[in-house]
Amino acid sequence: MYKFIGAIFIIVSSYMYGFLKCKDLKISLLRLKDFKNDILYMKNNIYFCKEPLPKIIKQLSHNNTYMKTIYESFIEDNHTEDIDVKWKSCIDNIVTLKTDKKIFFDFVNLFLSVDVEGQKNLFENYLLNLESEIYKKENYILKNEKLFRNLALYGGILVVVLLI
């Protein structure tokens, strides 16, 4: 009786692990989509309203998006005034996937150009790269969502078979 209950627990928990892995990927995708919209908002506010970046990020932190925690930690980080260091520490603490970290780390490079035209071009290139990453991630999730769940399920069944 206890073996049967343990076997069912192992199978269900392994399936849930696959389900949670898929959920993490979907949240990552939603975070990238929100970030793309926020980049467009930042771009418009910087060029047309001439607002500074910290003020724009503070406005974005009031939105209820997947990026909210990153923006809030950016605002609360008073250790340094260097935007590069603050942004990277916020991303390191919150974002878990390496590919997403690279995308978010590249965001700081948008503010390296001094002239307005150069910065506009950097924004456009960054948005194109971000859109391509979103497209890749959407395809990856579509192709591998069932695979993650089934592999976790089969792994759980394998553990049960080996234990019995």
Side-chain angles (χ1 to χ4, degrees):
M1 177 69 179
Y2 291 119
K3 284 184 180 182
F4 181 71
I5 292 172
I8 294 214
F9 176 74
I10 290 172
I11 291 172
V12 168
S13 62
S14 65
Y15 184 76
M16 288 305 295
Y17 174 76
F19 181 76
L20 291 175
K21 181 73 173 164
C22 291
K23 186 178 176 192
D24 287 345
L25 287 172
K26 288 180 180 178
I27 287 174
S28 169
L29 176 65
L30 291 174
R31 184 180 287 138
L32 287 177
K33 287 182 177 180
D34 284 346
F35 190 55
K36 179 186 156 210
N37 293 334
D38 293 345
I39 293 290
L40 291 170
Y41 178 79
M42 285 180 205
K43 178 184 165 193
N44 291 334
N45 277 353
I46 287 172
Y47 294 121
F48 299 117
C49 300
K50 307 292 186 206
E51 291 183 0
L53 181 66
K55 183 178 179 184
I56 296 169
I57 290 179
K58 189 170 188 173
Q59 291 170 352
L60 289 171
S61 71
H62 298 301
N63 296 346
N64 194 16
T65 64
Y66 289 97
M67 293 294 296
K68 182 178 182 171
T69 54
I70 294 173
Y71 295 143
E72 287 174 345
S73 67
F74 180 82
I75 291 168
E76 293 170 2
D77 186 9
N78 294 325
H79 295 84
T80 181
E81 289 297 316
D82 188 12
I83 291 176
D84 185 25
V85 174
K86 282 175 76 169
W87 184 255
K88 287 185 178 182
S89 71
C90 294
I91 296 302
D92 270 338
N93 294 335
I94 297 172
V95 177
T96 56
L97 298 173
K98 287 182 182 179
T99 55
D100 289 355
K101 281 186 181 185
K102 183 187 177 314
I103 294 166
F104 288 119
F105 284 164
D106 290 344
F107 167 71
V108 178
N109 297 335
L110 297 177
F111 302 100
L112 297 179
S113 180
V114 179
D115 70 344
V116 176
E117 286 302 314
Q119 199 171 32
K120 281 184 182 180
N121 291 334
L122 287 173
F123 265 103
E124 293 301 323
N125 288 337
Y126 186 77
L127 283 169
L128 286 174
N129 290 338
L130 191 58
E131 285 179 16
S132 107
E133 289 297 323
I134 290 171
Y135 179 74
K136 287 178 191 174
K137 191 166 284 223
E138 284 175 339
N139 286 336
Y140 180 76
I141 290 172
L142 284 174
K143 290 178 183 175
N144 296 323
E145 183 176 13
K146 242 183 206 179
L147 178 72
F148 286 138
R149 289 187 199 155
N150 289 338
L151 279 178
L153 178 66
Y154 297 147
I157 292 171
L158 178 68
V159 168
V160 167
V161 168
L162 292 175
L163 290 176
I164 293 181

